[in-house]
Amino acid sequence: MTSTFPDISISTDRLVLRPFDESDVPALADMMADELVTAWTTIPHPYTTDEARAWATGKAAAVRTEGRGIALAVTEFLTQRLVGTIHVDHTDWRVLSTEIGYVTAPWARGEGYASESVLAVAQWLFHDQKFERIELRTAADNTASQQVAQKIGCISEGVLRNAWIARSRTEDGGWTDIRTDLIVWSLLPEDLDGVPGRLADANGFAYPEWN
């Protein structure tokens, strides 16, 4: 029998992390079409409304039901507006370890949402699900994402050389693939001791394999 996470929502002071639904499609399509998301993730480009609908109405839920992890929409508590995504994936149920990736909408960057949402999921994984290890992987040039990892207490463990393909703009306005290193970050339950519940944001995208 496949182990799975429960079908849950997580609340913080400002955010609600919940399962995706069809109402998220327009905002998700806009967010994932952003240039920084295109550069640092493997999402299809161009990212279409059909891609967003497939994710929000089926693929996101399958991450949980297939035992790989859990994918949650990050929304503002007051406005219910979609501000980002959290993707827990590559879960090892025997070792009790998993990887977290995240995306923040362009308009919501600089508000502390990335750090707040990742920290909330980490606390849930450690306290409620009894996990022992979380990993984040950031491209070597993605300094904004590295700052998020640092702010929530992650420890840099090393570099996977030449391990990722990012995208870069070309002179004619198109995109080209570029090889880059990945920095591996880890978070253990004891690393959260003393980390404030609300952190200044450094935006960015951890573990780039989004969709």
Side-chain angles (χ1 to χ4, degrees):
M1 183 175 178
T2 302
S3 297
T4 59
F5 288 117
D7 189 11
I8 52 88
S9 294
I10 300 170
S11 297
T12 71
D13 288 346
R14 301 182 299 164
L15 302 173
V16 176
L17 286 60
R18 57 159 177 78
F20 283 90
D21 60 45
E22 192 159 6
S23 68
D24 297 316
V25 170
L28 180 64
D30 287 344
M31 175 171 61
M32 302 306 265
D34 175 64
E35 286 200 0
L36 287 178
V37 180
T38 300
W40 296 120
T41 73
T42 60
I43 63 164
H45 177 73
Y47 194 88
T48 66
T49 299
D50 287 342
E51 298 279 359
R53 181 171 291 107
W55 179 258
T57 62
K59 289 184 178 180
V63 174
R64 187 186 71 82
T65 58
E66 293 173 4
R68 291 182 281 129
I70 190 168
L72 298 171
V74 181
T75 63
E76 282 185 323
F77 177 77
L78 292 177
T79 67
Q80 300 181 17
R81 189 176 180 185
L82 185 71
V83 302
T85 63
I86 288 281
H87 191 180
V88 176
D89 206 355
H90 303 99
T91 302
D92 187 322
W93 293 97
R94 180 175 179 272
V95 178
L96 294 176
S97 70
T98 193
E99 297 174 8
I100 293 182
Y102 48 89
V103 171
T104 303
W107 66 268
R109 294 169 192 160
E111 299 296 328
Y113 291 142
S115 302
E116 187 172 332
S117 58
V118 174
L119 184 60
V121 170
Q123 290 171 330
W124 172 72
L125 286 168
F126 289 147
H127 298 156
D128 292 18
Q129 302 302 305
K130 308 305 180 186
F131 267 57
E132 295 292 342
R133 175 181 170 87
I134 295 170
E135 281 190 13
L136 283 74
R137 300 187 178 194
T138 64
D141 292 332
N142 191 352
T143 55
S145 188
Q146 294 161 28
Q147 289 171 1
V148 172
Q150 291 169 337
K151 285 179 179 292
I152 66 171
C154 292
I155 303 300
S156 174
E157 292 188 332
V159 176
L160 301 178
R161 297 185 301 159
N162 217 27
W164 188 250
I165 297 177
R167 298 178 180 123
S168 178
R169 276 292 193 188
T170 58
E171 290 184 2
D172 62 3
W175 292 92
T176 187
D177 290 343
I178 55 170
R179 296 205 69 94
T180 184
D181 298 341
L182 282 178
I183 300 175
V184 178
W185 305 82
S186 68
L187 193 67
L188 306 183
E190 56 266 30
D191 295 332
L192 292 184
D193 293 344
V195 176
R198 198 165 188 172
L199 302 169
D201 193 33
N203 310 319
F205 316 94
Y207 194 67
E209 187 175 358
W210 165 249
N211 194 346

